[in-house]
């Protein structure tokens, strides 16, 4: 069983930055991969960024060069640094962990608006 708790969402102006955190209840090195997804109203959930236990990262084309996924193994936390935010980044951001099964956090709202 893996519990995930996201934090760090909020309201930010276009061009601004936010850092999202995802705290896991187990050692993240034991988790095959951890990802950030997002879901906007009326849209399908989409993969934003992923980091594997080996440190490999990948990003959706829409966020490449603006978002950075990283992890702190000592604190069992994965981060999503979001820069140059755009209104179309507005969504609920969810943390996902794959450790035999899929685990999800409750999500954190990110709103980009002036």
């Amino acid at each position: 069983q893996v519990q995930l708790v996201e934090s760090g969402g909020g309201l930010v102006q276009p061009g601004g930055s936010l850092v999202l955190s995802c705290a896991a209840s187990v050692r993240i090195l034991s988790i095959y991969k951890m990802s950030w997804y997002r879901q906007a109203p009326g849209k399908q959930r989409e993969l934003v960024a992923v980091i594997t236990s080996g440190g490999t990262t990948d990003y959706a084309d829409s966020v490449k060069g603006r978002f950075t996924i990283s992890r702190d193994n000592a604190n069992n936390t994965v981060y999503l640094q979001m820069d140059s935010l755009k209104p179309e980044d507005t969504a609920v951001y969810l943390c996902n962990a794959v450790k035999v099964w899929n685990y999800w956090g409750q999500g954190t709202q990110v709103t980009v608006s002036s």
Side-chain angles (χ1 to χ4, degrees):
Q1 191 79 1
V2 178
Q3 294 180 329
L4 304 170
V5 179
E6 302 101 330
S7 61
L11 173 64
V12 64
Q13 292 187 341
S17 298
L18 279 176
V19 179
L20 305 183
S21 301
C22 173
S25 60
V26 300
R27 291 176 65 246
I28 59 174
L29 283 175
S30 70
I31 297 174
Y32 169 60
K33 65 178 178 179
M34 294 189 71
S35 307
W36 286 98
Y37 284 75
R38 66 186 180 187
Q39 187 160 22
K43 294 188 177 181
Q44 287 190 331
R45 187 172 295 184
E46 64 170 339
L47 177 63
V48 175
V50 59
I51 186 165
T52 70
S53 56
T56 301
T57 60
D58 199 8
Y59 300 89
D61 287 342
S62 59
V63 307
K64 278 181 181 176
R66 300 188 298 122
F67 290 11
T68 303
I69 189 170
S70 63
R71 67 184 190 211
D72 180 346
N73 296 332
N75 290 305
N76 298 315
T77 300
V78 172
Y79 301 97
L80 186 68
Q81 171 75 46
M82 306 187 295
D83 299 317
S84 303
L85 283 160
K86 305 175 181 180
E88 51 263 44
D89 295 318
T90 295
V92 174
Y93 284 70
L94 303 109
C95 183
N96 171 267
V98 177
K99 182 178 168 64
V100 182
W101 306 106
N102 256 309
Y103 298 92
W104 294 91
Q106 81 287 351
T108 186
Q109 176 70 46
V110 172
T111 302
V112 185
S113 175
S114 55

